[in-house]
Amino acid sequence: MKTYLFFTLLSSLAAFDFSEEARKYVDHNVDPCDDFYRHACRLGGSSYLPNEIITEQLEKSNVNENSKEFPDIENIAINGFPEYTENLGEFITDIFKEICESGQDTLPFLAELEPLITQWSGERTDEKCIGHYCLTHLAKDPDCNRVENYLVELINNKLKFSEPLEYVQGAIHNIHVMDMFLKTHNDHSLENMNNFFLELKDAVIELIMATPWTRNHNVSESIADIVNQIDVTNVMNVTRASIAKVLIDCNNLYTECKQNYANVTSPYISEYCFYQARFKKDFETVPITNQIVAMSTAGAGTLYPHIMVGEMWYQIFINTQSRFAKLGSPGFTIAHELSHSLIKSSPQDLLLYFSQEAEDCIQEQYRSSCREFDEGDCEITEEHFEENGADVLAMQIIWKLFERQYIDREKRIVEIRGSEKLKQLFYSMATNLCDGKKSVADPSDPHAPNNVRINALVNHPAFEMAFQCSPHSRMMKSKTKECPVYGESAPQHRRRFFPKK
């Protein structure tokens, strides 16, 4: 029987500082002014650095607390059945024979069996049974051996039981892993994360209200209202709740089945009830795969008015000590998602107005970075604009918070040039997209290659302040004019207008 690894201890991830771990991956043989991305993210290193660091910490921890939500099926998933066979025909006929020969009514069992073997045999129908998989008439046959032989021939050892068991084992394993992450949260850390998100929103609203083109066309208030309605959701919480509901329902169905067949002594009754419970939830179930769990861990996305953030970004926030590193990661990722609703790339977007001048400026910077740092088939098209614009606006939002938290609060504008705090901001942003493979363009991906996205941040004056690069360096030669989307320096009058259809 195939089993899943169940971790064996824990209450929380081992303490670590994410930003310090990330700095270990810096390639000091590459000058940051020559190619900042490959300086911060060495070629041949991690396939995806944030996930690798979190996974490494996860492997140092373990979990052993069984769930009280679905105890019966969890016990089976971990310890197995009293008797087990992958052959569906073997345990079905064994149970039927006992029911029949003890003089009990076989009709409920055969009626319950019809949809199970009809669907599991591969038949696609909305009917509870079709053709020779209709069985209830057999309840009228008094010859138990004859019906048993018919069932054996019908099922013919072709239907295997392993998939439902593996599904539940995998689901419970994923619940354990997610619980290990989620148990690191406390009210204080969640409040801090929520306040951080509110600060990001407040910063972008300040930029919007100071923007010449939004004021000139009377859209400042409407765009600010778009921001006010955005919230943030931890995808892992949602995924965990969906998986748990399926398992709880399966557990209830399993318990009900065991009670219905309390008079059956067959050692296979637990296996049969487990199979039935999983089958009855089949069409309501959420996909429970490693990919789904990976998305709830590392993903981030926007479906207005919701920003969906994977658990990894919460862990980075919790396990990053420096507030300046937090601005870079997870700040840049969340600000990027926040910016999506404020960049107009099609008539279907939320905004009625957007600056054409800002769009042209942004695209030119990305084309310049693409030409200078091409690692394979790099090309910037109109399809990249929304993601490019979200990166540029995210940098503006992060910088606004950096100014508030460091320059305005500590009044050290003279000391900021070349400071480790400012460098840490950029290193953390690079970590978000760090991939040790070459950044080869993917025509199906609306994002520019990772190295272009990070190196294009040279467009913001903060990069030169941090690394004080020579005007003749590759990074500074790739820089075009600054491209503020919102704020006092944003374009004055020119705008892009999409009339409502």
Side-chain angles (χ1 to χ4, degrees):
M1 175 169 57
K2 183 175 179 180
T3 58
Y4 275 70
L5 170 65
F6 283 87
F7 293 102
T8 55
L9 126 46
L10 168 105
S11 13
S12 67
L13 287 170
F16 71 104
D17 188 324
F18 177 82
S19 63
E20 292 302 315
E21 292 293 322
R23 289 291 286 268
K24 297 176 182 178
Y25 291 78
V26 169
D27 188 345
H28 295 286
N29 293 318
V30 178
D31 189 329
C33 295
D34 184 65
D35 185 343
F36 176 69
Y37 181 77
R38 283 303 168 208
H39 165 71
C41 180
R42 66 174 179 264
L43 196 61
S46 165
S47 59
Y48 182 42
L49 183 55
N51 196 47
E52 181 170 299
I53 291 174
I54 295 297
T55 300
E56 181 181 340
Q57 298 303 318
L58 177 65
E59 289 173 349
K60 294 176 182 177
S61 308
N62 24 53
V63 66
N64 179 20
E65 297 179 5
N66 291 348
S67 171
K68 296 179 174 60
E69 299 167 278
F70 31 83
D72 296 325
I73 62 171
E74 183 167 31
N75 178 60
I76 290 171
I78 296 174
N79 300 314
F81 297 101
E83 293 288 337
Y84 176 78
T85 174
E86 287 191 354
N87 184 347
L88 181 65
E90 184 175 344
F91 68 73
I92 283 177
T93 54
D94 185 80
I95 294 168
F96 171 82
K97 185 176 182 180
E98 181 181 342
I99 294 172
C100 186
E101 291 183 346
S102 65
Q104 300 177 60
D105 186 4
T106 61
L107 181 60
F109 179 77
L110 292 170
E112 194 175 53
L113 198 56
E114 283 180 335
L116 189 152
I117 63 172
T118 298
Q119 295 294 338
W120 210 259
S121 65
E123 295 288 347
R124 294 292 177 260
T125 177
D126 293 330
E127 302 289 339
K128 65 177 182 179
C129 68
I130 188 171
H132 55 287
Y133 295 114
C134 293
L135 307 174
T136 54
H137 65 285
L138 299 175
K140 301 293 185 180
D141 192 325
D143 190 329
C144 296
N145 288 331
R146 185 163 54 206
V147 177
E148 179 191 2
N149 291 335
Y150 177 81
L151 291 175
V152 169
E153 184 177 349
L154 176 65
I155 298 172
N156 200 26
N157 298 330
K158 290 180 180 178
L159 304 182
K160 303 296 183 183
F161 182 71
S162 58
E163 183 176 332
L165 179 60
E166 291 172 10
Y167 176 96
V168 172
Q169 287 175 326
I172 293 174
H173 170 76
N174 289 333
I175 285 281
H176 284 185
V177 172
M178 287 188 281
D179 282 348
M180 180 162 62
F181 278 119
L182 296 173
K183 284 178 182 177
T184 66
H185 294 200
N186 55 53
D187 291 342
H188 182 65
S189 66
L190 292 174
E191 181 182 2
N192 285 344
M193 182 67 160
N194 185 57
N195 288 338
F196 182 61
F197 178 64
L198 293 176
E199 286 184 48
L200 292 172
K201 289 174 64 173
D202 185 61
V204 74
I205 288 174
E206 182 179 331
L207 289 169
I208 290 165
M209 301 308 290
T211 303
W213 66 265
T214 66
R215 293 200 308 265
N216 291 343
H217 298 284
N218 299 316
V219 293
S220 300
E221 295 291 342
S222 64
I223 296 176
D225 193 54
I226 289 173
V227 177
N228 282 325
Q229 296 184 50
I230 298 174
D231 58 44
V232 64
T233 300
N234 185 335
V235 184
M236 184 167 283
N237 276 330
V238 176
T239 303
R240 200 258 183 221
S242 298
I243 296 175
K245 183 181 185 305
V246 173
L247 293 172
I248 290 168
D249 289 346
C250 280
N251 194 84
N252 292 339
L253 288 167
Y254 171 82
T255 303
E256 181 183 355
C257 177
K258 287 293 294 287
Q259 291 171 350
N260 291 341
Y261 294 103
N263 294 328
V264 176
T265 62
S266 168
Y268 295 120
I269 195 64
S270 292
E271 189 172 357
Y272 171 74
C273 287
F274 189 94
Y275 199 119
Q276 276 287 7
R278 174 63 189 92
F279 167 76
K280 288 177 179 178
K281 290 301 302 174
D282 188 55
F283 299 106
E284 302 172 38
T285 228
V286 292
I288 299 177
T289 64
N290 290 336
Q291 290 78 10
I292 293 294
V293 175
M295 184 177 297
S296 77
T297 302
T302 301
L303 183 61
Y304 186 84
H306 309 299
I307 294 176
M308 294 156 287
V309 179
E311 173 62 20
M312 179 182 74
W313 305 105
Y314 282 80
Q315 291 296 327
I316 290 173
F317 181 83
I318 293 169
N319 292 288
T320 296
Q321 305 307 313
S322 163
R323 68 179 184 266
F324 307 107
K326 285 183 196 287
L327 287 175
S329 183
F332 182 75
T333 293
I334 300 173
H336 172 93
E337 298 303 331
L338 181 62
S339 298
H340 270 296
S341 300
L342 305 172
I343 301 294
K344 188 167 189 65
S345 59
S346 76
Q348 288 73 43
D349 291 331
L350 292 166
L351 302 186
L352 296 180
Y353 288 90
F354 192 74
S355 168
Q356 182 67 54
E357 187 175 343
E359 177 182 354
D360 293 342
C361 182
I362 290 167
Q363 290 294 82
E364 179 51 37
Q365 175 61 69
Y366 277 74
R367 291 188 187 100
S368 176
S369 296
C370 179
R371 289 190 296 269
E372 184 65 36
F373 301 103
D374 183 6
E375 291 187 350
D377 303 322
C378 190
E379 181 182 11
I380 301 300
T381 68
E382 286 188 9
E383 284 68 33
H384 292 108
F385 169 63
E386 182 178 333
E387 298 293 345
N388 295 345
D391 280 347
V392 171
L393 180 53
M395 180 64 217
Q396 278 192 267
I397 297 169
I398 294 305
W399 180 247
K400 173 60 69 175
L401 285 188
F402 188 92
E403 287 180 318
R404 288 181 184 177
Q405 295 182 4
Y406 186 79
I407 298 175
D408 295 345
R409 181 183 299 174
E410 302 185 24
K411 302 188 183 304
R412 294 180 176 177
I413 186 61
V414 175
E415 298 177 21
I416 197 67
R417 292 185 63 83
S419 73
E420 285 303 310
K421 289 182 174 65
L422 186 51
K423 289 179 181 178
Q424 193 173 43
L425 175 70
F426 280 93
Y427 280 120
S428 294
M429 285 191 285
T431 300
N432 293 332
L433 300 174
C434 184
D435 191 330
K437 298 178 293 186
K438 283 192 173 183
S439 296
V440 178
D442 180 354
S444 65
D445 190 346
H447 300 85
N450 287 347
N451 69 322
V452 172
R453 293 178 65 186
I454 293 301
N455 283 347
L457 295 178
V458 71
N459 183 269
H460 197 282
F463 183 86
E464 191 280 328
M465 292 174 63
F467 296 97
Q468 300 177 286
C469 298
S470 161
H472 305 293
S473 65
R474 288 180 70 200
M475 288 295 294
M476 297 311 295
K477 285 195 298 183
S478 71
K479 181 183 185 299
T480 62
K481 69 176 182 178
E482 186 182 352
C483 304
V485 182
Y486 293 94
E488 293 177 356
S489 302
Q492 293 282 334
H493 302 293
R494 295 173 62 188
R495 83 273 186 195
R496 186 174 184 175
F497 174 59
F498 292 92
K500 284 282 186 181
K501 293 186 177 180

